[in-house]
Amino acid sequence: KAKAKADPKAKAKPKGKGQEQSEPGEGQTTAQQFADVEASGPTVVVTKEEFRSREFTLTTDDCMPPLCQAIAAQFAIVAEHRHLLQSGYFLWELIHPQDEDKRPIYNPHGKYIVKLFVMGKWRQVMIDDVIPFGTATTTQQPFAPVLPATMSPNVIWPQLLTKALLRAFQSDLASGALPAVMALTGWPPYELPLSWDALGLSHGTRYFNCVSLSSEIDIEARQRE
């Protein structure tokens, strides 16, 4: 095969004095970094129905660790207040790359950027799509995702968001709870004592309320059912 010859008339662009060469992707927006990515394959980040309606159903398999179950519960909390979130800030809308309709698309290279509100600022968290799996506690399927997942096995937005949360809040993993609602919405929490008076006051003055409780699941009893 003949090798392509370089154009002798071509000139390299002059490099400014004292100008440093930037790394690939440095100084680029999220959209620019993924400008050449095209959607392909059966796997999708989010279905068209979910993207249009902002409605979804998560799995309830008890093999998920308590921390991931808490994250799934916070996904549900955000979904209940979907009408308060503007376009581009609802769960899967934080995942890039995206198409022209701002819908996140599957990246065959396995790399994604997730926007999260961390330390008072929206930041980009780079992740891959390697997902751990465990043994299911039901007889319908032999395996189940360790991270939150939807009922459709080809949809991966819950796993991508969870991986981004785990990476962004590594120092908080030992606490057993992550500030997922704040990271996904940008709304800082306001803690109140758990009493009927406090709940009534909060419900009357605030339109985004949730109660955080700790619980344990009896796996053996669930398996006997």
Side-chain angles (χ1 to χ4, degrees):
K1 297 182 179 179
K3 296 184 179 179
K5 296 182 179 180
D7 186 359
K9 297 182 180 180
K11 296 182 179 180
K13 294 182 178 180
K15 191 174 181 181
K17 186 177 181 180
Q19 182 180 358
E20 297 182 358
Q21 186 174 2
S22 60
E23 295 293 333
E26 184 178 352
Q28 294 181 331
T29 65
T30 303
Q32 291 172 340
Q33 294 179 43
F34 293 108
D36 58 344
V37 175
E38 297 181 359
S40 62
T43 302
V44 295
V45 176
V46 59
T47 64
K48 293 182 179 180
E49 293 75 16
E50 289 175 332
F51 182 73
R52 175 183 54 81
S53 65
R54 285 187 167 185
E55 295 182 355
F56 59 89
T57 302
L58 297 177
T59 60
T60 57
D61 197 291
D62 295 337
C63 80
M64 286 193 303
L67 177 60
C68 291
Q69 294 185 36
I71 293 175
Q74 294 184 73
F75 287 166
I77 291 172
V78 174
E80 290 181 359
H81 300 81
R82 61 179 66 86
H83 61 284
L84 301 176
L85 298 170
Q86 60 182 338
S87 177
Y89 289 89
F90 178 75
L91 295 177
W92 48 73
E93 297 171 1
L94 302 171
I95 302 173
H96 296 262
Q98 299 180 349
D99 60 16
E100 60 275 6
D101 296 324
K102 302 299 181 63
R103 175 188 170 196
I105 60 176
Y106 171 71
N107 184 0
H109 305 294
K111 296 294 183 179
Y112 298 87
I113 283 179
V114 179
K115 292 191 332 184
L116 294 178
F117 193 79
V118 182
M119 298 180 66
K121 182 179 179 180
W122 286 102
R123 305 176 188 274
Q124 296 183 359
V125 182
M126 177 74 76
I127 58 169
D128 58 35
D129 59 1
V130 179
I131 306 299
F133 276 79
T135 304
T137 58
T138 63
T139 58
Q140 297 178 356
Q141 298 290 339
F143 302 102
V146 175
L147 305 183
T150 67
M151 299 300 291
S152 174
N154 294 331
V155 176
I156 61 174
W157 68 261
Q159 294 96 320
L160 296 180
L161 288 182
T162 302
K163 289 199 68 172
L165 288 167
L166 295 177
R167 182 172 186 182
F169 296 96
Q170 294 183 37
S171 59
D172 298 328
L173 296 182
S175 65
L178 298 181
V181 171
M182 181 186 68
L184 297 169
T185 63
W187 297 339
Y190 181 74
E191 297 184 0
L192 292 173
L194 186 58
S195 66
W196 287 114
D197 292 339
L199 290 175
L201 177 62
S202 176
H203 181 72
T205 58
R206 298 177 182 272
Y207 47 76
F208 193 116
N209 297 278
C210 60
V211 179
S212 177
L213 299 174
S214 60
S215 62
E216 295 183 0
I217 299 175
D218 190 343
I219 301 297
E220 295 181 358
R222 191 65 175 270
Q223 291 175 340
R224 292 193 297 267
E225 295 179 355

